[in-house]
Amino acid sequence: MSVSDQLQCGLRSLDLRHPHVMGVLNVTPDSFSDGGLFNSRDSAIAHAVKMVAEGASIIDVGGESTRPGAAPVSEQEELDRVLPVVEALAKEVDAVISLDTSSPQVITEASRAGAGLINDVRALSRPGALSAAKDSGLPVCLMHMQGQPQSMQVAPKYDSVVAEVCCYLVDRVSVCERGGIERDRIIIDPGFGFGKSVQHNLLLLKHLAQLGQLGLPILVGLSRKSLIGTLLGRPVEERLFGSLAAALIAVQNGARIVRVHDVAATVDVLKIASAVAEVDAD
C-alpha cells in the first residue's frame, strides 16, 4: 500500500511527497519542555509566527500536558486555553493548525475555529471523540500509548514492541474506518516516550519502516524527549543535536511529519537530507 501524496487539512493541503516539520506550541503551564512559556494568547501567537517563518508547515497547539505524570485538565479549561489561539492562528499564519487533544468538545469547537488536523495521543478512544472527529471532516493522527500519562512510564512491558504497536494502530485505524473516517484522513504515530523504555523507543525508531507497510503517513515526536536525555546524559535544554539526529533517522525510515520544538535547525537538516535523496544519478 502506498501513502497518498496529498493530505487535505481543512482549507490547506499538505504535499506528503516530502517531509514536513510540525512546530510544538503548548499553551500549558506544565508541559515537560516549554510549559508556561507560551500560555498567554500573545506569546503563543508570536511563537507560532516565528516557527512558521522558520519553515514549520504545521503548528500543533496543545492545552493539556501529556508528559509522564501529568494531571488531566477539564474540557472547559482546555477549551479556554486553546480556542483563542487556534482562532487567531487560523487567520494569521500560512500553516496547518493542528490540535493536540483527546476531548470531543475541544475537537468540535476547534474545528469550527479553524483547526486543520486532530492529533490525539489517545487515538480517539475517549467516548465521543471518534464521532466528533468524523463530524469535523478533518484528518486525524492516531497515536499509540501504553497506559495513561499519569503512569505510562512505570515499567512499560512488551513481548514485541514493534509488532504490538503495529497491531494497536491497525485496530484503531479499523475502528475509525468503521466509524466513518476515511483512510485517506488518517495518520499514525508510534508514540515515542508514551509507555516505552529507552530500548522500546530505539527498536521502534530502527524499525519504523514496518509501520510504513500500513500505507499511512507516519508522524513522530522525538524532540527533546527523555530517550535523548538518557542516551546523551543531557537536560532538556541541551538536547538539540540528539533531537536532530532522531528526526533525521525517522525521516530516512519513512516518517512524513516530525513534531519538534527547534524548527529552524530541523528544517535545515531535512532540506539537506531531501536534496541528497532527490538528486539524480549521473
mmCIF file with all atom_site columns, all heavy atoms in Angstrom, residues 46-67:
data_model
loop_
_atom_site.group_PDB
_atom_site.id
_atom_site.type_symbol
_atom_site.label_atom_id
_atom_site.label_alt_id
_atom_site.label_comp_id
_atom_site.label_asym_id
_atom_site.label_entity_id
_atom_site.label_seq_id
_atom_site.pdbx_PDB_ins_code
_atom_site.Cartn_x
_atom_site.Cartn_y
_atom_site.Cartn_z
_atom_site.occupancy
_atom_site.B_iso_or_equiv
_atom_site.pdbx_formal_charge
_atom_site.auth_seq_id
_atom_site.auth_comp_id
_atom_site.auth_asym_id
_atom_site.auth_atom_id
_atom_site.pdbx_PDB_model_num
ATOM 1   N N   . ALA A 1 46 ? 2.906  34.824 18.867 1.00 0.00 ? 46 ALA A N   1
ATOM 2   C CA  . ALA A 1 46 ? 4.237  35.282 18.438 1.00 0.00 ? 46 ALA A CA  1
ATOM 3   C C   . ALA A 1 46 ? 5.164  34.103 18.181 1.00 0.00 ? 46 ALA A C   1
ATOM 4   O O   . ALA A 1 46 ? 5.931  34.095 17.196 1.00 0.00 ? 46 ALA A O   1
ATOM 5   C CB  . ALA A 1 46 ? 4.825  36.212 19.495 1.00 0.00 ? 46 ALA A CB  1
ATOM 6   N N   . HIS A 1 47 ? 5.110  33.097 19.041 1.00 0.00 ? 47 HIS A N   1
ATOM 7   C CA  . HIS A 1 47 ? 5.985  31.939 18.849 1.00 0.00 ? 47 HIS A CA  1
ATOM 8   C C   . HIS A 1 47 ? 5.571  31.151 17.612 1.00 0.00 ? 47 HIS A C   1
ATOM 9   O O   . HIS A 1 47 ? 6.439  30.678 16.857 1.00 0.00 ? 47 HIS A O   1
ATOM 10  C CB  . HIS A 1 47 ? 5.950  31.045 20.084 1.00 0.00 ? 47 HIS A CB  1
ATOM 11  C CG  . HIS A 1 47 ? 6.947  29.936 20.046 1.00 0.00 ? 47 HIS A CG  1
ATOM 12  N ND1 . HIS A 1 47 ? 8.296  30.143 19.876 1.00 0.00 ? 47 HIS A ND1 1
ATOM 13  C CD2 . HIS A 1 47 ? 6.786  28.579 20.135 1.00 0.00 ? 47 HIS A CD2 1
ATOM 14  C CE1 . HIS A 1 47 ? 8.932  28.990 19.868 1.00 0.00 ? 47 HIS A CE1 1
ATOM 15  N NE2 . HIS A 1 47 ? 8.037  28.021 20.018 1.00 0.00 ? 47 HIS A NE2 1
ATOM 16  N N   . ALA A 1 48 ? 4.277  31.011 17.374 1.00 0.00 ? 48 ALA A N   1
ATOM 17  C CA  . ALA A 1 48 ? 3.815  30.307 16.177 1.00 0.00 ? 48 ALA A CA  1
ATOM 18  C C   . ALA A 1 48 ? 4.245  31.031 14.910 1.00 0.00 ? 48 ALA A C   1
ATOM 19  O O   . ALA A 1 48 ? 4.697  30.396 13.944 1.00 0.00 ? 48 ALA A O   1
ATOM 20  C CB  . ALA A 1 48 ? 2.295  30.167 16.212 1.00 0.00 ? 48 ALA A CB  1
ATOM 21  N N   . VAL A 1 49 ? 4.117  32.343 14.903 1.00 0.00 ? 49 VAL A N   1
ATOM 22  C CA  . VAL A 1 49 ? 4.555  33.134 13.745 1.00 0.00 ? 49 VAL A CA  1
ATOM 23  C C   . VAL A 1 49 ? 6.033  32.905 13.482 1.00 0.00 ? 49 VAL A C   1
ATOM 24  O O   . VAL A 1 49 ? 6.478  32.749 12.327 1.00 0.00 ? 49 VAL A O   1
ATOM 25  C CB  . VAL A 1 49 ? 4.243  34.631 13.970 1.00 0.00 ? 49 VAL A CB  1
ATOM 26  C CG1 . VAL A 1 49 ? 4.942  35.492 12.917 1.00 0.00 ? 49 VAL A CG1 1
ATOM 27  C CG2 . VAL A 1 49 ? 2.737  34.879 13.948 1.00 0.00 ? 49 VAL A CG2 1
ATOM 28  N N   . LYS A 1 50 ? 6.822  32.876 14.550 1.00 0.00 ? 50 LYS A N   1
ATOM 29  C CA  . LYS A 1 50 ? 8.264  32.635 14.421 1.00 0.00 ? 50 LYS A CA  1
ATOM 30  C C   . LYS A 1 50 ? 8.531  31.246 13.840 1.00 0.00 ? 50 LYS A C   1
ATOM 31  O O   . LYS A 1 50 ? 9.371  31.089 12.935 1.00 0.00 ? 50 LYS A O   1
ATOM 32  C CB  . LYS A 1 50 ? 8.923  32.768 15.791 1.00 0.00 ? 50 LYS A CB  1
ATOM 33  C CG  . LYS A 1 50 ? 10.421 32.452 15.825 1.00 0.00 ? 50 LYS A CG  1
ATOM 34  C CD  . LYS A 1 50 ? 10.977 32.709 17.220 1.00 0.00 ? 50 LYS A CD  1
ATOM 35  C CE  . LYS A 1 50 ? 12.474 32.391 17.311 1.00 0.00 ? 50 LYS A CE  1
ATOM 36  N NZ  . LYS A 1 50 ? 12.728 30.928 17.289 1.00 0.00 ? 50 LYS A NZ  1
ATOM 37  N N   . MET A 1 51 ? 7.834  30.221 14.323 1.00 0.00 ? 51 MET A N   1
ATOM 38  C CA  . MET A 1 51 ? 8.064  28.868 13.824 1.00 0.00 ? 51 MET A CA  1
ATOM 39  C C   . MET A 1 51 ? 7.674  28.729 12.355 1.00 0.00 ? 51 MET A C   1
ATOM 40  O O   . MET A 1 51 ? 8.355  28.037 11.584 1.00 0.00 ? 51 MET A O   1
ATOM 41  C CB  . MET A 1 51 ? 7.312  27.850 14.691 1.00 0.00 ? 51 MET A CB  1
ATOM 42  C CG  . MET A 1 51 ? 7.891  27.679 16.078 1.00 0.00 ? 51 MET A CG  1
ATOM 43  S SD  . MET A 1 51 ? 7.238  26.239 16.978 1.00 0.00 ? 51 MET A SD  1
ATOM 44  C CE  . MET A 1 51 ? 5.553  26.783 17.305 1.00 0.00 ? 51 MET A CE  1
ATOM 45  N N   . VAL A 1 52 ? 6.597  29.384 11.942 1.00 0.00 ? 52 VAL A N   1
ATOM 46  C CA  . VAL A 1 52 ? 6.210  29.329 10.531 1.00 0.00 ? 52 VAL A CA  1
ATOM 47  C C   . VAL A 1 52 ? 7.270  30.028 9.672  1.00 0.00 ? 52 VAL A C   1
ATOM 48  O O   . VAL A 1 52 ? 7.633  29.543 8.594  1.00 0.00 ? 52 VAL A O   1
ATOM 49  C CB  . VAL A 1 52 ? 4.818  29.959 10.322 1.00 0.00 ? 52 VAL A CB  1
ATOM 50  C CG1 . VAL A 1 52 ? 4.488  30.083 8.835  1.00 0.00 ? 52 VAL A CG1 1
ATOM 51  C CG2 . VAL A 1 52 ? 3.750  29.115 11.022 1.00 0.00 ? 52 VAL A CG2 1
ATOM 52  N N   . ALA A 1 53 ? 7.781  31.155 10.146 1.00 0.00 ? 53 ALA A N   1
ATOM 53  C CA  . ALA A 1 53 ? 8.842  31.849 9.418  1.00 0.00 ? 53 ALA A CA  1
ATOM 54  C C   . ALA A 1 53 ? 10.088 30.976 9.293  1.00 0.00 ? 53 ALA A C   1
ATOM 55  O O   . ALA A 1 53 ? 10.836 31.072 8.308  1.00 0.00 ? 53 ALA A O   1
ATOM 56  C CB  . ALA A 1 53 ? 9.189  33.160 10.119 1.00 0.00 ? 53 ALA A CB  1
ATOM 57  N N   . GLU A 1 54 ? 10.317 30.105 10.268 1.00 0.00 ? 54 GLU A N   1
ATOM 58  C CA  . GLU A 1 54 ? 11.472 29.205 10.246 1.00 0.00 ? 54 GLU A CA  1
ATOM 59  C C   . GLU A 1 54 ? 11.239 27.971 9.376  1.00 0.00 ? 54 GLU A C   1
ATOM 60  O O   . GLU A 1 54 ? 12.176 27.205 9.142  1.00 0.00 ? 54 GLU A O   1
ATOM 61  C CB  . GLU A 1 54 ? 11.805 28.762 11.668 1.00 0.00 ? 54 GLU A CB  1
ATOM 62  C CG  . GLU A 1 54 ? 12.358 29.890 12.534 1.00 0.00 ? 54 GLU A CG  1
ATOM 63  C CD  . GLU A 1 54 ? 12.552 29.475 13.989 1.00 0.00 ? 54 GLU A CD  1
ATOM 64  O OE1 . GLU A 1 54 ? 11.945 28.457 14.416 1.00 0.00 ? 54 GLU A OE1 1
ATOM 65  O OE2 . GLU A 1 54 ? 13.298 30.165 14.699 1.00 0.00 ? 54 GLU A OE2 1
ATOM 66  N N   . GLY A 1 55 ? 10.009 27.771 8.911  1.00 0.00 ? 55 GLY A N   1
ATOM 67  C CA  . GLY A 1 55 ? 9.755  26.673 7.985  1.00 0.00 ? 55 GLY A CA  1
ATOM 68  C C   . GLY A 1 55 ? 8.750  25.636 8.427  1.00 0.00 ? 55 GLY A C   1
ATOM 69  O O   . GLY A 1 55 ? 8.531  24.645 7.719  1.00 0.00 ? 55 GLY A O   1
ATOM 70  N N   . ALA A 1 56 ? 8.115  25.822 9.578  1.00 0.00 ? 56 ALA A N   1
ATOM 71  C CA  . ALA A 1 56 ? 7.086  24.870 10.001 1.00 0.00 ? 56 ALA A CA  1
ATOM 72  C C   . ALA A 1 56 ? 5.866  24.997 9.092  1.00 0.00 ? 56 ALA A C   1
ATOM 73  O O   . ALA A 1 56 ? 5.386  26.096 8.847  1.00 0.00 ? 56 ALA A O   1
ATOM 74  C CB  . ALA A 1 56 ? 6.676  25.127 11.450 1.00 0.00 ? 56 ALA A CB  1
ATOM 75  N N   . SER A 1 57 ? 5.374  23.875 8.601  1.00 0.00 ? 57 SER A N   1
ATOM 76  C CA  . SER A 1 57 ? 4.160  23.893 7.794  1.00 0.00 ? 57 SER A CA  1
ATOM 77  C C   . SER A 1 57 ? 2.935  23.483 8.606  1.00 0.00 ? 57 SER A C   1
ATOM 78  O O   . SER A 1 57 ? 1.809  23.561 8.123  1.00 0.00 ? 57 SER A O   1
ATOM 79  C CB  . SER A 1 57 ? 4.300  22.978 6.571  1.00 0.00 ? 57 SER A CB  1
ATOM 80  O OG  . SER A 1 57 ? 4.808  21.710 6.930  1.00 0.00 ? 57 SER A OG  1
ATOM 81  N N   . ILE A 1 58 ? 3.170  23.053 9.851  1.00 0.00 ? 58 ILE A N   1
ATOM 82  C CA  . ILE A 1 58 ? 2.104  22.687 10.781 1.00 0.00 ? 58 ILE A CA  1
ATOM 83  C C   . ILE A 1 58 ? 2.464  23.252 12.154 1.00 0.00 ? 58 ILE A C   1
ATOM 84  O O   . ILE A 1 58 ? 3.625  23.181 12.564 1.00 0.00 ? 58 ILE A O   1
ATOM 85  C CB  . ILE A 1 58 ? 1.939  21.155 10.905 1.00 0.00 ? 58 ILE A CB  1
ATOM 86  C CG1 . ILE A 1 58 ? 1.925  20.477 9.540  1.00 0.00 ? 58 ILE A CG1 1
ATOM 87  C CG2 . ILE A 1 58 ? 0.673  20.803 11.690 1.00 0.00 ? 58 ILE A CG2 1
ATOM 88  C CD1 . ILE A 1 58 ? 2.096  18.967 9.608  1.00 0.00 ? 58 ILE A CD1 1
ATOM 89  N N   . ILE A 1 59 ? 1.463  23.791 12.852 1.00 0.00 ? 59 ILE A N   1
ATOM 90  C CA  . ILE A 1 59 ? 1.632  24.214 14.233 1.00 0.00 ? 59 ILE A CA  1
ATOM 91  C C   . ILE A 1 59 ? 0.690  23.366 15.085 1.00 0.00 ? 59 ILE A C   1
ATOM 92  O O   . ILE A 1 59 ? -0.517 23.340 14.850 1.00 0.00 ? 59 ILE A O   1
ATOM 93  C CB  . ILE A 1 59 ? 1.306  25.709 14.432 1.00 0.00 ? 59 ILE A CB  1
ATOM 94  C CG1 . ILE A 1 59 ? 2.213  26.587 13.570 1.00 0.00 ? 59 ILE A CG1 1
ATOM 95  C CG2 . ILE A 1 59 ? 1.405  26.090 15.912 1.00 0.00 ? 59 ILE A CG2 1
ATOM 96  C CD1 . ILE A 1 59 ? 3.683  26.523 13.931 1.00 0.00 ? 59 ILE A CD1 1
ATOM 97  N N   . ASP A 1 60 ? 1.251  22.677 16.074 1.00 0.00 ? 60 ASP A N   1
ATOM 98  C CA  . ASP A 1 60 ? 0.470  21.760 16.907 1.00 0.00 ? 60 ASP A CA  1
ATOM 99  C C   . ASP A 1 60 ? 0.169  22.417 18.252 1.00 0.00 ? 60 ASP A C   1
ATOM 100 O O   . ASP A 1 60 ? 1.061  22.565 19.082 1.00 0.00 ? 60 ASP A O   1
ATOM 101 C CB  . ASP A 1 60 ? 1.253  20.461 17.112 1.00 0.00 ? 60 ASP A CB  1
ATOM 102 C CG  . ASP A 1 60 ? 0.407  19.334 17.684 1.00 0.00 ? 60 ASP A CG  1
ATOM 103 O OD1 . ASP A 1 60 ? -0.748 19.193 17.261 1.00 0.00 ? 60 ASP A OD1 1
ATOM 104 O OD2 . ASP A 1 60 ? 0.915  18.586 18.537 1.00 0.00 ? 60 ASP A OD2 1
ATOM 105 N N   . VAL A 1 61 ? -1.076 22.806 18.444 1.00 0.00 ? 61 VAL A N   1
ATOM 106 C CA  . VAL A 1 61 ? -1.498 23.540 19.636 1.00 0.00 ? 61 VAL A CA  1
ATOM 107 C C   . VAL A 1 61 ? -2.046 22.566 20.670 1.00 0.00 ? 61 VAL A C   1
ATOM 108 O O   . VAL A 1 61 ? -2.992 21.821 20.391 1.00 0.00 ? 61 VAL A O   1
ATOM 109 C CB  . VAL A 1 61 ? -2.570 24.589 19.289 1.00 0.00 ? 61 VAL A CB  1
ATOM 110 C CG1 . VAL A 1 61 ? -2.978 25.367 20.539 1.00 0.00 ? 61 VAL A CG1 1
ATOM 111 C CG2 . VAL A 1 61 ? -2.076 25.535 18.198 1.00 0.00 ? 61 VAL A CG2 1
ATOM 112 N N   . GLY A 1 62 ? -1.472 22.564 21.859 1.00 0.00 ? 62 GLY A N   1
ATOM 113 C CA  . GLY A 1 62 ? -1.913 21.656 22.911 1.00 0.00 ? 62 GLY A CA  1
ATOM 114 C C   . GLY A 1 62 ? -2.262 22.392 24.186 1.00 0.00 ? 62 GLY A C   1
ATOM 115 O O   . GLY A 1 62 ? -1.510 23.262 24.628 1.00 0.00 ? 62 GLY A O   1
ATOM 116 N N   . GLY A 1 63 ? -3.398 22.036 24.790 1.00 0.00 ? 63 GLY A N   1
ATOM 117 C CA  . GLY A 1 63 ? -3.844 22.680 26.017 1.00 0.00 ? 63 GLY A CA  1
ATOM 118 C C   . GLY A 1 63 ? -3.853 21.763 27.215 1.00 0.00 ? 63 GLY A C   1
ATOM 119 O O   . GLY A 1 63 ? -4.302 22.153 28.299 1.00 0.00 ? 63 GLY A O   1
ATOM 120 N N   . GLU A 1 64 ? -3.377 20.524 27.044 1.00 0.00 ? 64 GLU A N   1
ATOM 121 C CA  . GLU A 1 64 ? -3.288 19.576 28.155 1.00 0.00 ? 64 GLU A CA  1
ATOM 122 C C   . GLU A 1 64 ? -1.946 18.868 28.076 1.00 0.00 ? 64 GLU A C   1
ATOM 123 O O   . GLU A 1 64 ? -1.643 18.211 27.077 1.00 0.00 ? 64 GLU A O   1
ATOM 124 C CB  . GLU A 1 64 ? -4.413 18.532 28.088 1.00 0.00 ? 64 GLU A CB  1
ATOM 125 C CG  . GLU A 1 64 ? -4.319 17.487 29.197 1.00 0.00 ? 64 GLU A CG  1
ATOM 126 C CD  . GLU A 1 64 ? -5.320 16.336 29.042 1.00 0.00 ? 64 GLU A CD  1
ATOM 127 O OE1 . GLU A 1 64 ? -5.855 16.165 27.934 1.00 0.00 ? 64 GLU A OE1 1
ATOM 128 O OE2 . GLU A 1 64 ? -5.536 15.625 30.029 1.00 0.00 ? 64 GLU A OE2 1
ATOM 129 N N   . SER A 1 65 ? -1.143 18.991 29.108 1.00 0.00 ? 65 SER A N   1
ATOM 130 C CA  . SER A 1 65 ? 0.148  18.303 29.117 1.00 0.00 ? 65 SER A CA  1
ATOM 131 C C   . SER A 1 65 ? -0.057 16.794 29.186 1.00 0.00 ? 65 SER A C   1
ATOM 132 O O   . SER A 1 65 ? -0.876 16.304 29.966 1.00 0.00 ? 65 SER A O   1
ATOM 133 C CB  . SER A 1 65 ? 0.988  18.755 30.316 1.00 0.00 ? 65 SER A CB  1
ATOM 134 O OG  . SER A 1 65 ? 2.184  17.997 30.390 1.00 0.00 ? 65 SER A OG  1
ATOM 135 N N   . THR A 1 66 ? 0.692  16.071 28.362 1.00 0.00 ? 66 THR A N   1
ATOM 136 C CA  . THR A 1 66 ? 0.668  14.602 28.413 1.00 0.00 ? 66 THR A CA  1
ATOM 137 C C   . THR A 1 66 ? 2.050  14.046 28.755 1.00 0.00 ? 66 THR A C   1
ATOM 138 O O   . THR A 1 66 ? 2.358  12.898 28.457 1.00 0.00 ? 66 THR A O   1
ATOM 139 C CB  . THR A 1 66 ? 0.176  14.014 27.077 1.00 0.00 ? 66 THR A CB  1
ATOM 140 O OG1 . THR A 1 66 ? 0.924  14.589 25.998 1.00 0.00 ? 66 THR A OG1 1
ATOM 141 C CG2 . THR A 1 66 ? -1.300 14.284 26.877 1.00 0.00 ? 66 THR A CG2 1
ATOM 142 N N   . ARG A 1 67 ? 2.875  14.872 29.400 1.00 0.00 ? 67 ARG A N   1
ATOM 143 C CA  . ARG A 1 67 ? 4.181  14.382 29.867 1.00 0.00 ? 67 ARG A CA  1
ATOM 144 C C   . ARG A 1 67 ? 3.946  13.307 30.921 1.00 0.00 ? 67 ARG A C   1
ATOM 145 O O   . ARG A 1 67 ? 2.872  13.245 31.549 1.00 0.00 ? 67 ARG A O   1
ATOM 146 C CB  . ARG A 1 67 ? 4.992  15.536 30.464 1.00 0.00 ? 67 ARG A CB  1
ATOM 147 C CG  . ARG A 1 67 ? 4.342  16.146 31.687 1.00 0.00 ? 67 ARG A CG  1
ATOM 148 C CD  . ARG A 1 67 ? 5.193  17.235 32.323 1.00 0.00 ? 67 ARG A CD  1
ATOM 149 N NE  . ARG A 1 67 ? 4.461  17.905 33.390 1.00 0.00 ? 67 ARG A NE  1
ATOM 150 C CZ  . ARG A 1 67 ? 4.260  17.415 34.609 1.00 0.00 ? 67 ARG A CZ  1
ATOM 151 N NH1 . ARG A 1 67 ? 4.747  16.235 34.927 1.00 0.00 ? 67 ARG A NH1 1
ATOM 152 N NH2 . ARG A 1 67 ? 3.579  18.100 35.505 1.00 0.00 ? 67 ARG A NH2 1
#
